Amino acid sequence: MERKNFIIGVLLLSFIPINAQQKELAPTPPMGFMTWNFFGVDFNENDIRTMADAMVEKGLVDLGYNYIFIDDGWQGGRDNKNNIIADAKKFPSGMKKLAEYLHERGMKLGIYSDAAQLTCAGYTASLGFEEQDAKTFASWNIDYLKYDYCNAPIDVITAKERYQKMAKSLQKSGRNIVLSICEWGDRKPWEWGAQVGGQLWRTTADVRDKWASYGKGKELHGTGAGIFDIMDANADLDEYAKPNAWNDPDMLLVGLYGKKGPSGDLGGIGCTDTEYRSQMSLWCLMAAPLMITCDVRNMNAVTKEILSNKELIAIDQDRLGRQARRLRKENDWHIFLKPLQNGDYALGVLNAAIDTRQIQIDFNESGLQGKFSVKNLWTKKWQRNVKKINLSVASHETCVFRLYSGRLK
Ligand code: GLA
């Protein structure tokens, strides 16, 4: 009997550290720079290094943007032992050296593959080589894998199997590697993504560099989804988001200004700074991963200011890990409320109309009791001890406020 207890105890102990490690892979939404919208498949190790240097120099790494996510286009096929290899022309020093370069600077490295034979852009992918590729990624000291779903069967059962297979392979690889599921929300991954071992999952089609297509649902694949469409598709999935299980409404467009490439397809003509500021606001309210895709090396002052809003980033990264609830969606108003760990709230107000509008927000009507000291996280203006606020919100603007509870500021 005692021996049995002892064995159970040992078994439990040997499981706890693994679970604990897995649990903490993405306690807050991952942040960093993703190659896709700016580079497409046309990048090399020097581009990554210079981008990483710029991230450090411009203070973005200190703000939490500590990943470089290498997207599609790094692969160079397989060697004679079927090990996946990086394109030697693009990465002459190899991925391991690149990971080392980033780790030395307090950064992490993400990489990309696909649950089929070929990726979306037609490069070598991981189907049938999951364990081998996971080991290879671990041997390169990779920290994150975006696992895409082009060229794979449409049914949900296969998708779950293929993602689980990669998740298990990563878990056995000997390194903690975040798994990002990317099947564009077509099979409702928010319902099964965490269960199969993913820490985040794309909820929508690819975001294009525009405000809106005014398309609906699946049409977004064809008509091209803008910031508004993606927000609208992701906004009501709040109940599924929690630490280590995030809805991913795709990359930040901030600072792209209609640069061609993937984000420029399907009508991606660019956005105004107000719209980019709105995307940052909405993504932070929705506890979304924050993946910068503009050229950080040459970003202008407004782009830097938008991406560096510390108080907004704190809303995104809040340890309670709740995605804002959309309280209201009518007459072009979208109102969001995100509870924060210390009892404060973040309140977001989007005016999706084509003109400036006025609105009064009564906190009690939003389900909150009493008075708050309120800070506008863009203008930095305070209103103290109030029950309501009156706002004038520009077209496509999102105002974000922090409501301080229980203590007067
Ligand atoms: C898909 C994904 C994009 C990007 C490309 C790469 O379209 O949704 O985010 O990774 O593939 O080919």
Side-chain angles (χ1 to χ4, degrees), residues 165-359:
K165 174 91 190 170
M166 184 47 95
K168 289 204 163 135
S169 303
L170 293 173
Q171 283 158 21
K172 282 200 286 189
S173 73
R175 188 170 170 83
N176 286 328
I177 301 179
V178 172
L179 176 62
S180 154
I181 292 173
C182 179
E183 59 75 78
W184 324 288
D186 291 349
R187 282 149 287 261
K188 301 191 174 164
W190 45 88
E191 289 178 354
W192 49 264
Q195 216 178 307
V196 301
Q199 283 76 42
L200 61 159
W201 41 83
R202 280 272 301 277
T203 54
T204 69
D206 293 5
V207 66
R208 309 294 167 177
D209 190 7
K210 60 180 177 178
W211 176 250
S213 72
Y214 305 103
K216 290 266 181 289
K218 282 204 165 222
E219 284 171 47
L220 292 179
H221 280 300
T223 57
I227 292 170
F228 178 82
D229 312 297
I230 298 276
M231 175 283 293
D232 202 33
N234 191 67
D236 299 325
L237 299 173
D238 55 285
E239 68 184 276
Y240 299 98
K242 56 176 189 262
N244 304 294
W246 307 107
N247 292 316
D248 172 7
D250 208 10
M251 309 166 210
L252 292 175
L253 303 164
V254 185
L256 281 172
Y257 298 112
K259 185 201 178 290
K260 302 285 179 253
S263 67
D265 288 348
L266 300 170
I269 53 165
C271 300
T272 64
D273 284 330
T274 299
E275 291 166 342
Y276 287 142
R277 211 174 268 122
S278 243
Q279 191 192 21
M280 183 73 183
S281 300
L282 294 162
W283 265 230
C284 289
L285 287 160
M286 295 191 298
L290 300 177
M291 296 159 177
I292 299 172
T293 58
C294 69
D295 186 359
V296 170
R297 300 165 301 189
N298 299 304
M299 66 183 170
N300 67 21
V302 180
T303 300
K304 182 164 183 250
E305 180 242 332
I306 296 173
L307 295 172
S308 307
N309 188 324
K310 218 174 180 168
E311 290 174 294
L312 210 55
I313 293 170
I315 302 297
D316 181 76
Q317 296 288 303
D318 185 77
R319 296 296 290 220
L320 188 60
R322 296 270 295 276
Q323 175 174 332
R325 171 145 299 168
R326 179 158 59 177
L327 299 179
R328 184 168 152 193
K329 175 191 177 179
E330 62 191 23
N331 302 330
D332 290 317
W333 290 112
H334 296 250
I335 300 180
F336 298 85
L337 191 68
K338 183 185 199 291
L340 304 172
Q341 192 180 38
N342 69 353
D344 293 354
Y345 292 90
L347 176 82
V349 183
L350 162 65
N351 171 14
I354 53 166
D355 48 4
T356 299
R357 299 229 175 134
Q358 276 70 40
I359 190 169

Side-chain angles (χ1 to χ4, degrees), residues 34 36-37 40-41 70-73 112-114 119-123 146-150 182-184 202 204-208 221 248 250-251 262:
M34 189 168 266
W36 185 242
N37 281 340
V41 296
I70 293 186
D71 207 289
D72 209 352
Y112 167 99
S113 193
D114 187 296
T119 67
C120 297
Y123 291 82
K146 171 174 174 180
Y147 204 39
D148 217 334
Y149 206 67
C150 279
C182 179
E183 59 75 78
W184 324 288
R202 280 272 301 277
T204 69
D206 293 5
V207 66
R208 309 294 167 177
H221 280 300
D248 172 7
D250 208 10
M251 309 166 210

Side-chain angles (χ1 to χ4, degrees), residues 328-393:
R328 184 168 152 193
K329 175 191 177 179
E330 62 191 23
N331 302 330
D332 290 317
W333 290 112
H334 296 250
I335 300 180
F336 298 85
L337 191 68
K338 183 185 199 291
L340 304 172
Q341 192 180 38
N342 69 353
D344 293 354
Y345 292 90
L347 176 82
V349 183
L350 162 65
N351 171 14
I354 53 166
D355 48 4
T356 299
R357 299 229 175 134
Q358 276 70 40
I359 190 169
Q360 182 177 75
I361 308 278
D362 180 330
F363 300 145
N364 293 2
E365 278 171 19
S366 305
L368 303 174
Q369 306 291 318
K371 295 181 175 174
F372 292 86
S373 282
V374 178
K375 186 174 185 185
N376 182 320
L377 299 188
W378 287 112
T379 66
K380 310 292 181 194
K381 291 211 175 104
W382 282 93
Q383 292 184 64
R384 291 173 204 275
N385 219 8
V386 290
K387 278 186 167 172
K388 309 173 183 182
I389 45 176
N390 291 304
L391 305 175
S392 176
V393 190

Side-chain angles (χ1 to χ4, degrees), residues 9-205:
V10 169
L11 278 174
L12 277 178
L13 272 180
S14 58
F15 279 121
I16 287 164
I18 296 171
N19 290 339
Q21 275 175 8
Q22 288 303 325
K23 237 180 106 197
E24 282 309 307
L25 278 184
T28 60
M31 297 169 65
F33 170 84
M34 189 168 266
T35 54
W36 185 242
N37 281 340
F38 184 73
F39 291 115
V41 296
D42 190 14
F43 58 91
N44 60 37
E45 62 181 38
N46 191 46
D47 295 319
I48 304 292
R49 289 206 179 108
T50 54
M51 201 60 85
D53 291 347
M55 306 269 294
V56 174
E57 273 160 34
K58 308 206 173 185
L60 294 174
V61 176
D62 283 343
L63 286 166
Y65 295 98
N66 59 354
Y67 277 99
I68 295 278
F69 305 102
I70 293 186
D71 207 289
D72 209 352
W74 62 271
Q75 309 89 330
R78 292 187 183 277
D79 68 10
N80 56 11
K81 290 188 181 129
N82 277 330
N83 293 314
I84 196 161
I85 50 174
D87 181 324
K89 284 208 189 81
K90 292 176 174 173
F91 295 91
S93 322
M95 282 297 170
K96 193 169 180 174
K97 275 262 175 268
L98 189 59
E100 196 180 305
Y101 187 88
L102 297 178
H103 290 149
E104 279 167 1
R105 283 155 184 77
M107 299 184 76
K108 299 178 181 183
L109 182 56
I111 209 161
Y112 167 99
S113 193
D114 187 296
Q117 273 165 350
L118 293 177
T119 67
C120 297
Y123 291 82
T124 303
S126 294
L127 183 68
F129 295 94
E130 292 86 351
E131 288 198 12
Q132 196 173 345
D133 289 358
K135 278 196 193 125
T136 302
F137 299 150
S139 76
W140 293 342
N141 292 328
I142 297 288
D143 303 290
Y144 179 108
L145 174 68
K146 171 174 174 180
Y147 204 39
D148 217 334
Y149 206 67
C150 279
N151 308 309
I154 57 167
D155 66 285
V156 64
I157 294 172
T158 308
K160 281 168 142 177
E161 278 168 10
R162 290 191 183 188
Y163 279 107
Q164 188 157 41
K165 174 91 190 170
M166 184 47 95
K168 289 204 163 135
S169 303
L170 293 173
Q171 283 158 21
K172 282 200 286 189
S173 73
R175 188 170 170 83
N176 286 328
I177 301 179
V178 172
L179 176 62
S180 154
I181 292 173
C182 179
E183 59 75 78
W184 324 288
D186 291 349
R187 282 149 287 261
K188 301 191 174 164
W190 45 88
E191 289 178 354
W192 49 264
Q195 216 178 307
V196 301
Q199 283 76 42
L200 61 159
W201 41 83
R202 280 272 301 277
T203 54
T204 69

